[in-house]
Amino acid sequence: MGAFDSKVRACVVLILALLVASGTVWGQTGTSTVRGEISDAQGKMVSGATVTLKNTSTGFTRSQATGAAGGYSFELIPPGDYTLEVEARGFKKTVRNVTALVGSTSTADLQLEVGSVSQVVQVEAGAAVVAINTEDATLGNNFENSQIMGLPLKDRNILGLLTLQPGVTYAIDPTSTTSGSVNGARSDQSNLTLDGVDINEAQTSRVNEPVLRLNAEATEEFRLTTLNATASQGRSSAAQVNLVTKGGTNNFHGAGFESYRSTGWTSNSFFNNRIIDPKTGQPLPRPKLIRHTYGGGVGGPIIKDKLFFFYSYEGNREAKQDTSVRVVPLPSMGQGIMNVLAKNCPTPTTCGPDTLVSYSQAQLTSIYSAVGLNPAALAVFANAASKYLANDFTVGDSTATRLLNTAGFRFNSPNTRKDNSHVLKLDTNLTSKQSAFIRLNYIVDHDTAAPPQFPDTLIPTVWSHPWGFVAGHTWTMGNNWVNSFRYGLTRQAFSQIGDLNKNQIIFRFVFSNINNPAVTTLSRRTPVHNILDDVSWVKNKHTIQMGTNIRVISNNRVSFANAFDNAVTNPSGYQQGGNVVSDPIDSNIKATLGPTWQLSSVSEAQNAGTALIGRFSQYTVNLTYDHS
């Protein structure tokens, strides 16, 4: 045994000891495998053949000799297009192309022809990966860059391609808490890695919202494993998404794109067209939609065959409007008037049509003599009715021909986005047996978090500024030993400015000047440190792998969700669910119109009466304590 072999074995023993000490959790390092068997024309296995895997665009080369059973296996290699060369004494040199896909095993069996090694046989092979996975029990598909760039994607979000996979039962919609469910598994049990490193949103873990947005131009390929993920793929029970960033090559290459859409390509909604704005006398204008998406990527050599770079930027500017409808009080409520419906029922099964009955402020003060009406509440309703003129009757208790107490106010609310995503990757071949890379992501987004409650109220916004990086090193320690190491830091960071900045008062079913539920101000920083190491040992036809995956997560969060009090005038908080409010009105109707008359708009009377009385039926006090 030589001194070099002794050093190699000592290093291997040390690495294995560290792995065992860390816990035998398998890693997922965004790599691929090419393996196969070498035989002669009679089908007999050829041992001792030299198999070389090359990528001329990056200067990558790795060689090994076939074992006694004629097998070879290149483990933990970067995904990409390779040339496979086989040389053996007494046989012609055989060459073929092979594509290594991330998270997959590409099988390339070769049959040698008798002859001189100076003669070359070029094998024209089909797809490197067979249609049926014969290597393991995983189910899933790979998407290469040509598919990512060629298929239509909304906002160039490549996660939309996940919906093309069998078993993905929900659309990738970030507003949904169930989106991204795969084969019935919980949507928060998926696992996403980029270049082998965790990019999950640590608090929610949903597949549709990774911390780092994925630039389509910068994504080389990805694989979605929907079922039966192996130990090397993940720690979760649902989908395993393994993505790889594009790298530079010996040739300069680049691409750019731009798309623009204006409001002229949209149509107005049915409800906007049918509503006449009381101020202008015209239908509500169609919501604005201006979407501008642009970016590109460029890559090439810094030092040929030695050092490469790739940089990508994607920007998205969106200025659009969403149609919002809010319940508002009619001007009559600001005057202390409540309108109800009554009907005459001579028999329990025979009733006449509804009749509108109006109660003035003086009448209501007499009916509710124990409490009276609240002048502060009337002032709120009068102010709201003057600013937000009712123009919609899809909400509230009124119709276009019969006004009671509330109706809808429809308006176009702004919804803007200003997103920026940067990706930089550097790859280097340190020696003939060692390679390394570093990838950096930086994102700066300013988006509307939610529509405002009314046109003149605060618009909730969110500033998102996550970043992440990963450094990787691959070492071919011997003919059959390979080690792959990754360290990554993915840091979620955002600040949300909500519309709740003071104590909130809600007149339930009648009026609220803040979103309900309110959008609260909060900020969060969630750094995730991820350390991975995989060791692969090939012996004849057998491959033994061991790895570790260590994650260190911290969550630094500031929330104003419990910083303000909340008060509600809620008819359900009164005796018998509001009957204590509607019963006096029903008694008055019987006394004035006759004993066979009755209140028919019971819940409407309870809602309006509770609001006009203006007494809180529920009050939530939020107390924030410090260390003292």
Side-chain angles (χ1 to χ4, degrees), residues 81-98:
D81 296 324
Y82 292 90
T83 299
L84 193 67
E85 299 179 354
V86 182
E87 299 180 4
R89 180 175 298 178
F91 295 95
K92 299 178 183 179
K93 180 180 179 180
T94 303
V95 180
R96 68 164 288 181
N97 296 325
V98 61

Side-chain angles (χ1 to χ4, degrees), residues 378-390:
L378 302 187
V380 170
F381 301 148
N383 181 61
S386 65
K387 291 197 299 183
Y388 316 124
L389 301 181

Side-chain angles (χ1 to χ4, degrees), residues 405-444:
N405 308 290
T406 61
F409 174 69
R410 181 179 292 269
F411 64 100
N412 295 328
S413 59
N415 186 347
T416 61
R417 293 179 59 185
K418 185 179 180 181
D419 300 342
N420 304 276
S421 177
H422 304 266
V423 180
L424 174 65
K425 187 179 182 184
L426 300 174
D427 298 89
T428 181
N429 296 316
L430 300 172
T431 67
S432 61
K433 295 183 179 295
Q434 298 186 60
S435 62
F437 77 90
I438 184 170
R439 183 259 302 153
L440 301 99
N441 293 71
Y442 181 60
I443 294 172
V444 182

Side-chain angles (χ1 to χ4, degrees), residues 233-257:
Q233 281 195 297
R235 53 181 174 77
S236 302
S237 60
Q240 308 294 321
V241 186
N242 197 349
L243 301 114
V244 178
T245 305
K246 187 183 294 184
T249 66
N250 278 324
N251 299 314
F252 284 100
H253 58 277
F257 65 89

Side-chain angles (χ1 to χ4, degrees), residues 91-94 114-121:
F91 295 95
K92 299 178 183 179
K93 180 180 179 180
T94 303
V114 176
S116 170
V117 73
S118 62
Q119 297 174 290
V120 178
V121 176

Side-chain angles (χ1 to χ4, degrees), residues 285-505:
R286 59 184 167 183
K288 180 171 66 173
L289 175 57
I290 300 175
R291 182 178 293 135
H292 189 197
T293 306
Y294 55 93
V298 60
I302 299 176
I303 303 175
K304 187 175 181 181
D305 287 336
K306 199 72 175 177
L307 182 62
F308 314 91
F309 80 95
F310 182 83
Y311 169 76
S312 170
Y313 167 78
E314 287 192 8
N316 185 30
R317 303 292 184 267
E318 189 172 87
K320 68 175 185 178
Q321 293 177 318
D322 296 325
T323 299
S324 301
V325 184
R326 311 300 186 201
V327 175
V328 294
L330 296 178
S332 57
M333 289 202 69
Q335 302 168 15
I337 297 172
M338 180 170 67
N339 297 313
V340 298
L341 298 176
K343 57 185 176 181
N344 184 18
C345 298
T347 67
T349 58
T350 304
C351 293
D354 286 331
T355 300
L356 181 66
V357 180
S358 293
Y359 287 92
S360 67
Q361 181 176 351
Q363 290 175 306
L364 292 175
T365 301
S366 174
I367 292 174
Y368 301 120
S369 57
V371 290
L373 305 188
N374 190 335
L378 302 187
V380 170
F381 301 148
N383 181 61
S386 65
K387 291 197 299 183
Y388 316 124
L389 301 181
N391 58 10
D392 184 287
F393 298 97
T394 60
V395 297
D397 60 13
S398 300
T399 66
T401 57
R402 186 174 60 197
L403 300 180
L404 292 183
N405 308 290
T406 61
F409 174 69
R410 181 179 292 269
F411 64 100
N412 295 328
S413 59
N415 186 347
T416 61
R417 293 179 59 185
K418 185 179 180 181
D419 300 342
N420 304 276
S421 177
H422 304 266
V423 180
L424 174 65
K425 187 179 182 184
L426 300 174
D427 298 89
T428 181
N429 296 316
L430 300 172
T431 67
S432 61
K433 295 183 179 295
Q434 298 186 60
S435 62
F437 77 90
I438 184 170
R439 183 259 302 153
L440 301 99
N441 293 71
Y442 181 60
I443 294 172
V444 182
D445 297 342
H446 293 85
D447 302 331
T448 299
Q453 181 70 354
F454 290 102
D456 58 346
T457 58
L458 185 65
I459 302 174
T461 58
V462 60
W463 170 43
S464 181
H465 50 105
W467 58 270
F469 80 91
V470 57
H473 177 266
T474 302
W475 179 22
T476 304
M477 298 181 292
N479 187 42
N480 299 320
W481 287 91
V482 182
N483 183 78
S484 178
F485 172 81
R486 301 281 192 276
Y487 167 72
L489 170 60
T490 302
R491 181 181 182 272
Q492 170 68 292
F494 68 88
S495 299
Q496 176 176 282
I497 304 301
D499 62 356
L500 179 60
N501 53 15
K502 59 184 178 181
N503 293 342
Q504 183 181 17
I505 298 174

Side-chain angles (χ1 to χ4, degrees), residues 522-600:
L522 63 93
S523 63
R524 177 157 62 88
R525 290 178 293 107
T526 311
V528 178
H529 298 267
N530 199 190
I531 302 172
L532 306 98
D533 195 278
D534 288 337
V535 178
S536 180
W537 176 42
V538 179
K539 183 66 174 178
N540 294 326
K541 287 188 176 182
H542 304 287
T543 301
I544 299 175
Q545 289 186 339
M546 178 175 289
T548 190
N549 187 333
I550 301 171
R551 294 187 305 145
V552 179
I553 304 172
S554 59
N555 196 4
N556 306 299
R557 186 170 182 268
V558 176
S559 173
F560 284 78
N562 296 318
F564 303 103
D565 295 354
N566 177 283
V568 183
T569 64
N570 184 0
S572 300
Y574 284 95
Q575 182 180 356
Q576 299 178 31
N579 285 349
V580 69
V581 177
S582 58
D583 283 351
I585 301 296
D586 184 69
S587 299
N588 181 271
I589 289 173
K590 287 180 168 55
T592 56
L593 299 181
T596 60
W597 284 77
Q598 63 185 37
L599 174 67
S600 58

